[in-house]
PDB file of all heavy atoms in Angstrom:
ATOM      1  N   PRO O  14       0.809  -1.197   0.029  1.00 94.00           N
ATOM      2  CA  PRO O  14      -0.059   0.000   0.023  1.00 94.00           C
ATOM      3  C   PRO O  14       0.805   1.205   0.004  1.00 94.00           C
ATOM      4  O   PRO O  14       1.997   1.265   0.452  1.00 94.00           O
ATOM      5  CB  PRO O  14      -0.778  -0.111   1.258  1.00 94.00           C
ATOM      6  CG  PRO O  14       0.148  -0.803   2.238  1.00 94.00           C
ATOM      7  CD  PRO O  14       0.701  -1.851   1.339  1.00 94.00           C
ATOM      8  N   ASP O  15       0.259   2.325  -0.577  1.00 91.00           N
ATOM      9  CA  ASP O  15       1.016   3.678  -0.418  1.00 91.00           C
ATOM     10  C   ASP O  15       0.592   4.318   0.785  1.00 91.00           C
ATOM     11  O   ASP O  15       1.349   5.222   1.403  1.00 91.00           O
ATOM     12  CB  ASP O  15       0.456   4.452  -1.667  1.00 91.00           C
ATOM     13  CG  ASP O  15       0.882   3.986  -2.979  1.00 91.00           C
ATOM     14  OD1 ASP O  15       2.000   3.600  -3.067  1.00 91.00           O
ATOM     15  OD2 ASP O  15       0.080   4.030  -3.861  1.00 91.00           O
ATOM     16  N   VAL O  16      -0.618   4.062   1.434  1.00 94.00           N
ATOM     17  CA  VAL O  16      -1.188   4.590   2.554  1.00 94.00           C
ATOM     18  C   VAL O  16      -1.957   3.526   3.366  1.00 94.00           C
ATOM     19  O   VAL O  16      -2.517   2.782   2.754  1.00 94.00           O
ATOM     20  CB  VAL O  16      -2.175   5.849   2.287  1.00 94.00           C
ATOM     21  CG1 VAL O  16      -2.560   6.455   3.595  1.00 94.00           C
ATOM     22  CG2 VAL O  16      -1.447   6.838   1.517  1.00 94.00           C
ATOM     23  N   VAL O  17      -1.859   3.589   4.700  1.00 96.00           N
ATOM     24  CA  VAL O  17      -2.750   2.810   5.558  1.00 96.00           C
ATOM     25  C   VAL O  17      -3.752   3.537   6.311  1.00 96.00           C
ATOM     26  O   VAL O  17      -3.415   4.568   6.892  1.00 96.00           O
ATOM     27  CB  VAL O  17      -1.811   1.935   6.494  1.00 96.00           C
ATOM     28  CG1 VAL O  17      -2.710   1.262   7.574  1.00 96.00           C
ATOM     29  CG2 VAL O  17      -0.902   1.021   5.864  1.00 96.00           C
ATOM     30  N   LEU O  18      -5.021   3.136   6.209  1.00 96.00           N
ATOM     31  CA  LEU O  18      -6.051   3.857   6.931  1.00 96.00           C
ATOM     32  C   LEU O  18      -6.352   2.925   8.070  1.00 96.00           C
ATOM     33  O   LEU O  18      -6.863   1.859   7.962  1.00 96.00           O
ATOM     34  CB  LEU O  18      -7.325   3.945   6.032  1.00 96.00           C
ATOM     35  CG  LEU O  18      -8.556   4.615   6.759  1.00 96.00           C
ATOM     36  CD1 LEU O  18      -8.309   5.982   7.189  1.00 96.00           C
ATOM     37  CD2 LEU O  18      -9.700   4.639   5.735  1.00 96.00           C
ATOM     38  N   LEU O  19      -5.972   3.538   9.278  1.00 96.00           N
ATOM     39  CA  LEU O  19      -6.115   2.734  10.598  1.00 96.00           C
ATOM     40  C   LEU O  19      -7.378   3.113  11.434  1.00 96.00           C
ATOM     41  O   LEU O  19      -7.357   4.366  11.780  1.00 96.00           O
ATOM     42  CB  LEU O  19      -4.905   2.933  11.430  1.00 96.00           C
ATOM     43  CG  LEU O  19      -4.698   2.175  12.792  1.00 96.00           C
ATOM     44  CD1 LEU O  19      -4.900   0.702  12.466  1.00 96.00           C
ATOM     45  CD2 LEU O  19      -3.472   2.566  13.411  1.00 96.00           C
ATOM     46  N   VAL O  20      -8.347   2.354  11.385  1.00 94.00           N
ATOM     47  CA  VAL O  20      -9.651   2.726  12.071  1.00 94.00           C
ATOM     48  C   VAL O  20     -10.066   1.626  13.032  1.00 94.00           C
ATOM     49  O   VAL O  20      -9.312   0.516  13.333  1.00 94.00           O
ATOM     50  CB  VAL O  20     -10.708   2.733  11.055  1.00 94.00           C
ATOM     51  CG1 VAL O  20     -10.509   3.845   9.955  1.00 94.00           C
ATOM     52  CG2 VAL O  20     -11.026   1.360  10.283  1.00 94.00           C
ATOM     53  N   GLY O  21     -11.067   1.953  13.984  1.00 90.00           N
ATOM     54  CA  GLY O  21     -11.458   0.939  14.859  1.00 90.00           C
ATOM     55  C   GLY O  21     -12.139   1.693  16.069  1.00 90.00           C
ATOM     56  O   GLY O  21     -11.693   2.606  16.531  1.00 90.00           O
ATOM     57  N   GLY O  22     -13.373   1.043  16.326  1.00 88.00           N
ATOM     58  CA  GLY O  22     -14.034   1.536  17.490  1.00 88.00           C
ATOM     59  C   GLY O  22     -14.831   2.716  17.240  1.00 88.00           C
ATOM     60  O   GLY O  22     -14.468   3.774  16.600  1.00 88.00           O
ATOM     61  N   THR O  23     -16.062   2.775  17.741  1.00 89.00           N
ATOM     62  CA  THR O  23     -16.744   4.070  17.683  1.00 89.00           C
ATOM     63  C   THR O  23     -16.276   4.950  18.883  1.00 89.00           C
ATOM     64  O   THR O  23     -15.505   4.650  19.791  1.00 89.00           O
ATOM     65  CB  THR O  23     -18.396   3.904  18.052  1.00 89.00           C
ATOM     66  OG1 THR O  23     -18.481   3.108  19.332  1.00 89.00           O
ATOM     67  CG2 THR O  23     -18.982   3.027  16.848  1.00 89.00           C
ATOM     68  N   ASP O  24     -16.499   6.315  18.813  1.00 91.00           N
ATOM     69  CA  ASP O  24     -16.032   7.204  19.782  1.00 91.00           C
ATOM     70  C   ASP O  24     -16.523   6.782  21.196  1.00 91.00           C
ATOM     71  O   ASP O  24     -17.712   6.726  21.489  1.00 91.00           O
ATOM     72  CB  ASP O  24     -16.455   8.734  19.407  1.00 91.00           C
ATOM     73  CG  ASP O  24     -15.742   9.221  18.279  1.00 91.00           C
ATOM     74  OD1 ASP O  24     -14.687   8.615  17.981  1.00 91.00           O
ATOM     75  OD2 ASP O  24     -16.256  10.290  17.716  1.00 91.00           O
ATOM     76  N   GLY O  25     -15.663   6.605  22.075  1.00 89.00           N
ATOM     77  CA  GLY O  25     -15.881   6.181  23.444  1.00 89.00           C
ATOM     78  C   GLY O  25     -16.099   4.776  23.535  1.00 89.00           C
ATOM     79  O   GLY O  25     -16.348   4.172  24.619  1.00 89.00           O
ATOM     80  N   GLY O  26     -15.979   3.965  22.463  1.00 88.00           N
ATOM     81  CA  GLY O  26     -16.305   2.593  22.510  1.00 88.00           C
ATOM     82  C   GLY O  26     -14.920   1.704  22.623  1.00 88.00           C
ATOM     83  O   GLY O  26     -14.001   2.245  23.284  1.00 88.00           O
ATOM     84  N   ASP O  27     -14.816   0.639  22.044  1.00 85.00           N
ATOM     85  CA  ASP O  27     -13.746  -0.313  22.181  1.00 85.00           C
ATOM     86  C   ASP O  27     -12.398   0.429  21.666  1.00 85.00           C
ATOM     87  O   ASP O  27     -12.486   0.895  20.504  1.00 85.00           O
ATOM     88  CB  ASP O  27     -13.919  -1.599  21.393  1.00 85.00           C
ATOM     89  CG  ASP O  27     -12.599  -2.420  21.497  1.00 85.00           C
ATOM     90  OD1 ASP O  27     -12.499  -3.144  22.471  1.00 85.00           O
ATOM     91  OD2 ASP O  27     -11.878  -2.432  20.508  1.00 85.00           O
ATOM     92  N   ALA O  28     -11.324   0.524  22.409  1.00 92.00           N
ATOM     93  CA  ALA O  28     -10.156   0.977  21.873  1.00 92.00           C
ATOM     94  C   ALA O  28      -8.935  -0.036  21.868  1.00 92.00           C
ATOM     95  O   ALA O  28      -7.857   0.256  21.449  1.00 92.00           O
ATOM     96  CB  ALA O  28      -9.645   2.278  22.747  1.00 92.00           C
ATOM     97  N   ASP O  29      -9.168  -1.188  22.359  1.00 94.00           N
ATOM     98  CA  ASP O  29      -8.156  -2.133  22.581  1.00 94.00           C
ATOM     99  C   ASP O  29      -7.483  -2.558  21.263  1.00 94.00           C
ATOM    100  O   ASP O  29      -6.312  -2.685  21.074  1.00 94.00           O
ATOM    101  CB  ASP O  29      -8.656  -3.335  23.338  1.00 94.00           C
ATOM    102  CG  ASP O  29      -8.940  -3.101  24.876  1.00 94.00           C
ATOM    103  OD1 ASP O  29      -8.513  -1.994  25.231  1.00 94.00           O
ATOM    104  OD2 ASP O  29      -9.641  -3.809  25.392  1.00 94.00           O
ATOM    105  N   THR O  30      -8.408  -3.020  20.378  1.00 94.00           N
ATOM    106  CA  THR O  30      -7.861  -3.331  19.047  1.00 94.00           C
ATOM    107  C   THR O  30      -7.165  -2.276  18.255  1.00 94.00           C
ATOM    108  O   THR O  30      -6.093  -2.544  17.716  1.00 94.00           O
ATOM    109  CB  THR O  30      -9.076  -4.018  18.122  1.00 94.00           C
ATOM    110  OG1 THR O  30      -9.834  -5.037  18.806  1.00 94.00           O
ATOM    111  CG2 THR O  30      -8.542  -4.447  16.831  1.00 94.00           C
ATOM    112  N   LEU O  31      -7.709  -1.146  18.309  1.00 95.00           N
ATOM    113  CA  LEU O  31      -7.007   0.178  17.728  1.00 95.00           C
ATOM    114  C   LEU O  31      -5.675   0.245  18.261  1.00 95.00           C
ATOM    115  O   LEU O  31      -4.636   0.525  17.530  1.00 95.00           O
ATOM    116  CB  LEU O  31      -7.852   1.251  17.636  1.00 95.00           C
ATOM    117  CG  LEU O  31      -7.362   2.525  17.138  1.00 95.00           C
ATOM    118  CD1 LEU O  31      -7.323   2.494  15.590  1.00 95.00           C
ATOM    119  CD2 LEU O  31      -8.274   3.768  17.405  1.00 95.00           C
ATOM    120  N   THR O  32      -5.589   0.181  19.546  1.00 96.00           N
ATOM    121  CA  THR O  32      -4.328   0.444  20.255  1.00 96.00           C
ATOM    122  C   THR O  32      -3.290  -0.777  19.912  1.00 96.00           C
ATOM    123  O   THR O  32      -2.097  -0.408  19.711  1.00 96.00           O
ATOM    124  CB  THR O  32      -4.565   0.460  21.844  1.00 96.00           C
ATOM    125  OG1 THR O  32      -5.508   1.530  22.085  1.00 96.00           O
ATOM    126  CG2 THR O  32      -3.298   0.593  22.590  1.00 96.00           C
ATOM    127  N   HIS O  33      -3.851  -1.917  19.958  1.00 97.00           N
ATOM    128  CA  HIS O  33      -2.985  -3.069  19.630  1.00 97.00           C
ATOM    129  C   HIS O  33      -2.315  -2.898  18.128  1.00 97.00           C
ATOM    130  O   HIS O  33      -1.070  -3.045  17.932  1.00 97.00           O
ATOM    131  CB  HIS O  33      -3.656  -4.342  19.584  1.00 97.00           C
ATOM    132  CG  HIS O  33      -2.983  -5.570  19.140  1.00 97.00           C
ATOM    133  ND1 HIS O  33      -2.095  -6.378  19.902  1.00 97.00           N
ATOM    134  CD2 HIS O  33      -2.899  -6.049  17.809  1.00 97.00           C
ATOM    135  CE1 HIS O  33      -1.604  -7.218  19.140  1.00 97.00           C
ATOM    136  NE2 HIS O  33      -2.041  -7.210  17.876  1.00 97.00           N
ATOM    137  N   ASN O  34      -3.209  -2.464  17.191  1.00 96.00           N
ATOM    138  CA  ASN O  34      -2.673  -2.403  15.918  1.00 96.00           C
ATOM    139  C   ASN O  34      -1.772  -1.322  15.678  1.00 96.00           C
ATOM    140  O   ASN O  34      -0.697  -1.362  14.906  1.00 96.00           O
ATOM    141  CB  ASN O  34      -3.839  -2.285  14.945  1.00 96.00           C
ATOM    142  CG  ASN O  34      -4.741  -3.646  14.741  1.00 96.00           C
ATOM    143  OD1 ASN O  34      -4.244  -4.639  14.991  1.00 96.00           O
ATOM    144  ND2 ASN O  34      -5.982  -3.538  14.415  1.00 96.00           N
ATOM    145  N   ALA O  35      -2.000  -0.109  16.324  1.00 97.00           N
ATOM    146  CA  ALA O  35      -1.138   1.090  16.258  1.00 97.00           C
ATOM    147  C   ALA O  35       0.369   0.586  16.765  1.00 97.00           C
ATOM    148  O   ALA O  35       1.345   0.936  16.304  1.00 97.00           O
ATOM    149  CB  ALA O  35      -1.719   2.212  16.926  1.00 97.00           C
ATOM    150  N   THR O  36       0.207  -0.119  17.966  1.00 97.00           N
ATOM    151  CA  THR O  36       1.458  -0.542  18.667  1.00 97.00           C
ATOM    152  C   THR O  36       2.243  -1.543  17.749  1.00 97.00           C
ATOM    153  O   THR O  36       3.442  -1.503  17.702  1.00 97.00           O
ATOM    154  CB  THR O  36       1.069  -1.184  19.968  1.00 97.00           C
ATOM    155  OG1 THR O  36       0.380  -0.229  20.734  1.00 97.00           O
ATOM    156  CG2 THR O  36       2.335  -1.534  20.711  1.00 97.00           C
ATOM    157  N   ARG O  37       1.523  -2.431  17.098  1.00 97.00           N
ATOM    158  CA  ARG O  37       2.104  -3.347  16.231  1.00 97.00           C
ATOM    159  C   ARG O  37       2.866  -2.702  15.122  1.00 97.00           C
ATOM    160  O   ARG O  37       4.011  -3.081  14.699  1.00 97.00           O
ATOM    161  CB  ARG O  37       1.142  -4.375  15.694  1.00 97.00           C
ATOM    162  CG  ARG O  37       1.715  -5.508  14.820  1.00 97.00           C
ATOM    163  CD  ARG O  37       2.201  -6.607  15.771  1.00 97.00           C
ATOM    164  NE  ARG O  37       3.080  -7.627  15.072  1.00 97.00           N
ATOM    165  CZ  ARG O  37       3.190  -8.793  15.565  1.00 97.00           C
ATOM    166  NH1 ARG O  37       2.786  -9.168  16.643  1.00 97.00           N
ATOM    167  NH2 ARG O  37       3.976  -9.553  14.791  1.00 97.00           N
ATOM    168  N   LEU O  38       2.240  -1.799  14.418  1.00 97.00           N
ATOM    169  CA  LEU O  38       2.900  -1.023  13.399  1.00 97.00           C
ATOM    170  C   LEU O  38       4.088  -0.212  13.919  1.00 97.00           C
ATOM    171  O   LEU O  38       5.130  -0.151  13.220  1.00 97.00           O
ATOM    172  CB  LEU O  38       1.927   0.035  12.707  1.00 97.00           C
ATOM    173  CG  LEU O  38       0.787  -0.700  11.979  1.00 97.00           C
ATOM    174  CD1 LEU O  38      -0.192   0.471  11.389  1.00 97.00           C
ATOM    175  CD2 LEU O  38       1.319  -1.411  10.788  1.00 97.00           C
ATOM    176  N   ALA O  39       4.017   0.419  15.050  1.00 96.00           N
ATOM    177  CA  ALA O  39       5.115   1.131  15.635  1.00 96.00           C
ATOM    178  C   ALA O  39       6.333   0.188  15.999  1.00 96.00           C
ATOM    179  O   ALA O  39       7.481   0.507  15.616  1.00 96.00           O
ATOM    180  CB  ALA O  39       4.663   1.746  17.006  1.00 96.00           C
ATOM    181  N   ARG O  40       6.061  -0.957  16.510  1.00 96.00           N
ATOM    182  CA  ARG O  40       7.204  -1.961  16.817  1.00 96.00           C
ATOM    183  C   ARG O  40       7.775  -2.518  15.493  1.00 96.00           C
ATOM    184  O   ARG O  40       8.874  -2.973  15.575  1.00 96.00           O
ATOM    185  CB  ARG O  40       6.636  -3.010  17.722  1.00 96.00           C
ATOM    186  CG  ARG O  40       6.344  -2.489  19.125  1.00 96.00           C
ATOM    187  CD  ARG O  40       5.745  -3.641  20.003  1.00 96.00           C
ATOM    188  NE  ARG O  40       5.562  -3.046  21.375  1.00 96.00           N
ATOM    189  CZ  ARG O  40       4.873  -3.872  22.215  1.00 96.00           C
ATOM    190  NH1 ARG O  40       4.342  -4.942  22.017  1.00 96.00           N
ATOM    191  NH2 ARG O  40       4.666  -3.340  23.458  1.00 96.00           N
ATOM    192  N   ALA O  41       6.934  -2.559  14.430  1.00 95.00           N
ATOM    193  CA  ALA O  41       7.412  -3.134  13.098  1.00 95.00           C
ATOM    194  C   ALA O  41       8.199  -2.212  12.412  1.00 95.00           C
ATOM    195  O   ALA O  41       8.576  -2.439  11.238  1.00 95.00           O
ATOM    196  CB  ALA O  41       6.242  -3.651  12.364  1.00 95.00           C
ATOM    197  N   ARG O  42       8.472  -0.924  12.922  1.00 92.00           N
ATOM    198  CA  ARG O  42       9.177   0.128  12.181  1.00 92.00           C
ATOM    199  C   ARG O  42       8.495   0.357  10.840  1.00 92.00           C
ATOM    200  O   ARG O  42       9.175   0.628   9.815  1.00 92.00           O
ATOM    201  CB  ARG O  42      10.561  -0.274  11.949  1.00 92.00           C
ATOM    202  CG  ARG O  42      11.327  -0.488  13.321  1.00 92.00           C
ATOM    203  CD  ARG O  42      12.824  -0.800  13.048  1.00 92.00           C
ATOM    204  NE  ARG O  42      13.600  -1.098  14.406  1.00 92.00           N
ATOM    205  CZ  ARG O  42      14.821  -1.334  14.588  1.00 92.00           C
ATOM    206  NH1 ARG O  42      15.543  -1.546  13.465  1.00 92.00           N
ATOM    207  NH2 ARG O  42      15.283  -1.518  15.649  1.00 92.00           N
ATOM    208  N   TRP O  43       7.236   0.604  10.880  1.00 96.00           N
ATOM    209  CA  TRP O  43       6.387   0.770   9.599  1.00 96.00           C
ATOM    210  C   TRP O  43       6.802   2.140   9.083  1.00 96.00           C
ATOM    211  O   TRP O  43       6.798   3.166   9.876  1.00 96.00           O
ATOM    212  CB  TRP O  43       5.020   0.604  10.053  1.00 96.00           C
ATOM    213  CG  TRP O  43       4.074   0.713   8.876  1.00 96.00           C
ATOM    214  CD1 TRP O  43       3.264   1.763   8.441  1.00 96.00           C
ATOM    215  CD2 TRP O  43       3.800  -0.309   7.843  1.00 96.00           C
ATOM    216  NE1 TRP O  43       2.516   1.472   7.389  1.00 96.00           N
ATOM    217  CE2 TRP O  43       2.852   0.187   7.031  1.00 96.00           C
ATOM    218  CE3 TRP O  43       4.110  -1.638   7.730  1.00 96.00           C
ATOM    219  CZ2 TRP O  43       2.294  -0.569   5.916  1.00 96.00           C
ATOM    220  CZ3 TRP O  43       3.606  -2.388   6.800  1.00 96.00           C
ATOM    221  CH2 TRP O  43       2.858  -1.870   5.811  1.00 96.00           C
ATOM    222  N   ARG O  44       7.053   2.209   7.820  1.00 94.00           N
ATOM    223  CA  ARG O  44       7.336   3.540   7.222  1.00 94.00           C
ATOM    224  C   ARG O  44       6.393   4.073   6.193  1.00 94.00           C
ATOM    225  O   ARG O  44       6.646   5.115   5.615  1.00 94.00           O
ATOM    226  CB  ARG O  44       8.848   3.442   6.796  1.00 94.00           C
ATOM    227  CG  ARG O  44       9.863   3.227   7.714  1.00 94.00           C
ATOM    228  CD  ARG O  44       9.950   4.544   8.645  1.00 94.00           C
ATOM    229  NE  ARG O  44      10.964   4.209   9.758  1.00 94.00           N
ATOM    230  CZ  ARG O  44      10.634   3.914  10.955  1.00 94.00           C
ATOM    231  NH1 ARG O  44       9.335   3.633  11.224  1.00 94.00           N
ATOM    232  NH2 ARG O  44      11.605   3.697  11.903  1.00 94.00           N
ATOM    233  N   VAL O  45       5.393   3.304   5.747  1.00 95.00           N
ATOM    234  CA  VAL O  45       4.320   3.744   4.919  1.00 95.00           C
ATOM    235  C   VAL O  45       3.421   4.630   5.789  1.00 95.00           C
ATOM    236  O   VAL O  45       3.044   4.421   6.828  1.00 95.00           O
ATOM    237  CB  VAL O  45       3.538   2.551   4.383  1.00 95.00           C
ATOM    238  CG1 VAL O  45       2.292   3.043   3.492  1.00 95.00           C
ATOM    239  CG2 VAL O  45       4.487   1.645   3.558  1.00 95.00           C
ATOM    240  N   PRO O  46       3.021   5.826   5.072  1.00 95.00           N
ATOM    241  CA  PRO O  46       2.127   6.870   5.789  1.00 95.00           C
ATOM    242  C   PRO O  46       0.890   6.185   6.281  1.00 95.00           C
ATOM    243  O   PRO O  46       0.216   5.242   5.664  1.00 95.00           O
ATOM    244  CB  PRO O  46       1.861   7.790   4.740  1.00 95.00           C
ATOM    245  CG  PRO O  46       3.007   7.679   3.777  1.00 95.00           C
ATOM    246  CD  PRO O  46       3.400   6.337   3.791  1.00 95.00           C
ATOM    247  N   VAL O  47       0.526   6.567   7.553  1.00 97.00           N
ATOM    248  CA  VAL O  47      -0.732   6.101   8.246  1.00 97.00           C
ATOM    249  C   VAL O  47      -1.791   7.239   8.516  1.00 97.00           C
ATOM    250  O   VAL O  47      -1.301   8.324   8.867  1.00 97.00           O
ATOM    251  CB  VAL O  47      -0.379   5.403   9.614  1.00 97.00           C
ATOM    252  CG1 VAL O  47      -1.662   5.002  10.364  1.00 97.00           C
ATOM    253  CG2 VAL O  47       0.445   4.079   9.308  1.00 97.00           C
ATOM    254  N   VAL O  48      -2.976   7.057   8.089  1.00 97.00           N
ATOM    255  CA  VAL O  48      -3.957   7.912   8.402  1.00 97.00           C
ATOM    256  C   VAL O  48      -4.849   7.250   9.691  1.00 97.00           C
ATOM    257  O   VAL O  48      -5.343   6.302   9.400  1.00 97.00           O
ATOM    258  CB  VAL O  48      -4.891   8.306   7.357  1.00 97.00           C
ATOM    259  CG1 VAL O  48      -6.221   9.083   7.842  1.00 97.00           C
ATOM    260  CG2 VAL O  48      -4.272   9.110   6.168  1.00 97.00           C
ATOM    261  N   LEU O  49      -4.779   8.051  10.826  1.00 97.00           N
ATOM    262  CA  LEU O  49      -5.381   7.480  12.062  1.00 97.00           C
ATOM    263  C   LEU O  49      -6.763   8.038  12.179  1.00 97.00           C
ATOM    264  O   LEU O  49      -6.946   9.145  12.281  1.00 97.00           O
ATOM    265  CB  LEU O  49      -4.515   7.717  13.151  1.00 97.00           C
ATOM    266  CG  LEU O  49      -5.037   7.362  14.603  1.00 97.00           C
ATOM    267  CD1 LEU O  49      -5.198   5.945  14.597  1.00 97.00           C
ATOM    268  CD2 LEU O  49      -4.101   7.885  15.655  1.00 97.00           C
ATOM    269  N   ALA O  50      -7.884   7.216  11.900  1.00 95.00           N
ATOM    270  CA  ALA O  50      -9.313   7.708  11.972  1.00 95.00           C
ATOM    271  C   ALA O  50     -10.077   6.778  12.689  1.00 95.00           C
ATOM    272  O   ALA O  50     -11.180   6.423  12.258  1.00 95.00           O
ATOM    273  CB  ALA O  50      -9.675   7.883  10.532  1.00 95.00           C
ATOM    274  N   GLY O  51      -9.713   6.475  13.821  1.00 94.00           N
ATOM    275  CA  GLY O  51     -10.556   5.578  14.802  1.00 94.00           C
ATOM    276  C   GLY O  51     -11.051   6.341  16.073  1.00 94.00           C
ATOM    277  O   GLY O  51     -11.207   7.547  16.026  1.00 94.00           O
ATOM    278  N   ASN O  52     -11.313   5.640  17.063  1.00 94.00           N
ATOM    279  CA  ASN O  52     -11.911   6.042  18.348  1.00 94.00           C
ATOM    280  C   ASN O  52     -11.162   7.265  18.854  1.00 94.00           C
ATOM    281  O   ASN O  52      -9.997   7.282  19.175  1.00 94.00           O
ATOM    282  CB  ASN O  52     -11.820   4.938  19.321  1.00 94.00           C
ATOM    283  CG  ASN O  52     -12.425   5.235  20.745  1.00 94.00           C
ATOM    284  OD1 ASN O  52     -12.706   6.423  20.995  1.00 94.00           O
ATOM    285  ND2 ASN O  52     -12.829   4.089  21.450  1.00 94.00           N
TER     286      ASN O  52
END
């Protein structure tokens, strides 16, 4: 991908999956641009 759209959870709802996936990308030294549009 050229861009990753990272979403998950309604506002005030579940945040665990979104947090896990963001953390996974951070630890993987991900360098493709990410748009964060979740909870």
Side-chain angles (χ1 to χ4, degrees):
D15 297 315
V16 181
V17 172
L18 178 60
L19 184 58
V20 299
T23 54
D24 285 344
D27 177 84
D29 290 344
T30 301
L31 181 65
T32 299
H33 170 90
N34 290 338
T36 303
R37 186 80 194 201
L38 292 176
R40 290 177 177 172
R42 298 180 180 179
W43 186 258
R44 293 295 178 261
V45 173
V47 171
V48 171
L49 177 62
N52 188 337

